[in-house]
Amino acid sequence: CPFCHVASGKNPELVAQMGEQFKTVAEGGSYTPPVPEIKKLVDAGEAVYVHMFGSGHGNGFLAAEALYCANDQDQFWQAHDKLMTNAGYTLLNDQIKNDRTQAATLAEFLAPEIDQTYMSECLSSKKFESRVTRDVSKNAELYFSGTPHYVVNGKIFGGAVDFNAMKAELK
């Protein structure tokens, strides 16, 4: 999902294609990607981050499984940040395309952030397929369409919203 990549703050190449509204403060713009700011709050013990896959752009299902596999090894953020790079975006959309026979390729890409053998076996075994399928169902039940979505103290923010728009809801 291009908007998930923008919100991650890890893909300046894609941001350059998406438009001036997503040009980050670090790049001379005004946009503050929400995920790095939320991660700071999580790391400080001031927030909880729950990641659920939403099937907004089709080629992220296997990547979502990879994030569950990484989380299983306490490596969620490392895998997340690598997948959210331009190289990750290109790999997922141009080569992997949710093709499980590409599990070893995805595992190789995520190494050394996560053990390559574990990742390949986890993806090939479909260990977390049902969780990703559940995520898609839950998103539909919550009437979330498009991606990403954030819920901050009960208020829903949809899309690659600027973190500053969420600040007022942080208590």
Side-chain angles (χ1 to χ4, degrees), residues 1-11 14-15 18 22 31 33-36 49 51-57 60 80 83-85 89 146-150 159-161:
C1 164
F3 293 103
C4 295
H5 278 256
V6 167
S8 78
K10 303 292 179 187
N11 193 337
L14 183 62
V15 167
M18 297 285 291
F22 295 118
Y31 179 73
V35 174
Y49 184 79
H51 183 91
M52 290 177 56
F53 174 67
S55 60
H57 293 276
H80 173 275
L83 287 170
M84 291 296 153
T85 64
Y89 183 82
T147 54
H149 274 86
Y150 304 91
V161 63

Side-chain angles (χ1 to χ4, degrees), residues 59-70 79-80 82-85 87-93 95-124:
N59 286 322
F61 196 94
L62 198 60
E65 285 187 47
L67 289 174
Y68 274 109
C69 294
H80 173 275
K82 185 135 187 195
L83 287 170
M84 291 296 153
T85 64
Y89 183 82
T90 301
L91 179 73
L92 294 172
N93 288 290
Q95 184 175 348
I96 303 295
K97 298 179 182 176
N98 292 327
D99 180 357
R100 197 167 301 280
T101 66
Q102 295 285 321
T105 303
L106 184 53
E108 181 180 352
F109 176 76
L110 290 170
E113 280 74 13
I114 185 163
D115 178 79
Q116 187 172 341
T117 302
Y118 172 79
M119 179 60 73
S120 185
E121 290 171 0
C122 184
L123 291 171
S124 295

